[in-house]
Amino acid sequence: KPKVQGVLSLKEGVVYLAEIDLPAHIASLSLVFNQHLLILETVEGKMGAGRFSGRGKANFVGLHPGPFGFHLDLTEMPVQLTRNLTGVVGGVILFQGDEKKQSLNGTLHIQKGLYNKRVDLRQLLLKWRERQEERLPIETPFIGKTALNIHLYGKENIWVDNNVAKVALDVDLQMKGTIQKPLLFGQINIPKGTFHFRTNEFKMVSGVVEFV
């Protein structure tokens, strides 16, 4: 049952995360330890061209986390979900809970988005059938069951641009479920664009994709 008191400060540090290509450059970070209470007074830094800042606190019972809450502001933050799906987002994220139950809430504005992977329609249909039989991945400890409630929206500079289609997207989605098993609700509007099938080009007048 350790009790820690004091201050930890960090300036001009770099944090590398295994799942993210871009390192996080920490301009300043200040942590205050008061026995069973940890206070994140401030953290500020950059990731690529994006900036982030945060604050929060957490209680500990021995080495086990008690109630906690952390607030994070993102500005023009680059994201890369896959090699061919990139974007820039800004907004606010709140991570809170305790050892047994956590939630991640917030609003993210998609300022830019691009999906440019080339598509083979025949292979796509074959792989789709195989994916229906894939098992869920192994549970992620602690944060895997974190409940999600994040609003994703944006309607400018969001495109699918590949060998099959060039379409603009207007996104208004709500991410629910958990980090381990996320669910999407809402819709994506397609105000304009073109599709290519074999040697034919089709002009999109309008379209809607519903997530239910």
Side-chain angles (χ1 to χ4, degrees):
K1 298 181 180 179
K3 296 179 180 179
V4 181
Q5 286 184 291
V7 177
L8 171 64
S9 297
L10 172 69
K11 288 187 179 294
E12 303 304 328
V14 182
V15 177
Y16 295 91
L17 302 175
E19 300 299 325
I20 301 176
D21 291 336
L22 291 174
H25 293 266
I26 308 297
S28 64
L29 180 148
S30 178
L31 290 172
V32 177
F33 297 86
N34 186 8
Q35 296 189 12
H36 302 304
L37 179 63
L38 167 65
I39 300 174
L40 174 62
E41 288 189 324
T42 181
V43 58
E44 296 181 347
K46 296 180 67 176
M47 185 175 290
R51 300 186 303 278
F52 60 86
S53 63
R55 60 189 183 278
K57 64 179 181 179
N59 290 277
F60 285 87
V61 180
L63 296 177
H64 298 282
F68 65 86
F70 294 98
H71 179 280
L72 189 64
D73 290 295
L74 305 176
T75 304
E76 297 183 350
M77 183 61 62
V79 293
Q80 184 168 358
L81 299 180
T82 68
R83 187 165 60 90
N84 302 102
L85 179 57
T86 60
V88 175
V89 302
V92 176
I93 293 293
L94 178 62
F95 183 42
Q96 58 187 353
D98 54 31
E99 184 179 19
K100 296 181 179 179
K101 187 177 181 180
Q102 307 88 40
S103 65
L104 191 64
N105 306 293
T107 300
L108 293 178
H109 176 210
I110 306 171
Q111 298 163 331
K112 293 181 181 179
L114 176 64
Y115 181 73
N116 60 2
K117 183 178 181 179
R118 292 183 61 82
V119 176
D120 184 326
L121 293 177
R122 182 181 298 176
Q123 291 297 319
L124 187 65
L125 291 174
L126 292 174
K127 289 182 178 179
W128 177 264
R129 191 170 187 178
E130 293 174 0
R131 285 175 182 166
Q132 303 309 303
E133 301 173 359
E134 286 183 358
R135 295 184 178 182
L136 292 172
I138 297 172
E139 292 264 338
T140 304
F142 188 68
I143 66 169
K145 295 182 179 180
T146 297
L148 298 174
N149 186 14
I150 298 177
H151 182 208
L152 302 167
Y153 73 97
K155 63 177 182 179
E156 293 181 353
N157 299 317
I158 305 175
W159 289 87
V160 173
D161 188 0
N162 57 20
N163 60 309
V164 174
K166 183 173 183 178
V167 294
L169 304 179
D170 181 346
V171 177
D172 189 3
L173 298 172
Q174 198 76 21
M175 185 179 291
K176 298 278 192 176
T178 66
I179 289 180
Q180 193 72 38
K181 299 177 182 178
L183 299 171
L184 281 178
F185 298 89
Q187 65 182 30
I188 295 178
N189 293 304
I190 307 174
K192 61 181 179 179
T194 56
F195 288 90
H196 300 275
F197 182 68
R198 295 182 178 174
T199 58
N200 301 309
E201 180 178 284
F202 298 87
K203 184 172 290 187
M204 170 65 72
V205 177
S206 66
V208 177
V209 180
E210 294 279 354
F211 291 82
V212 296

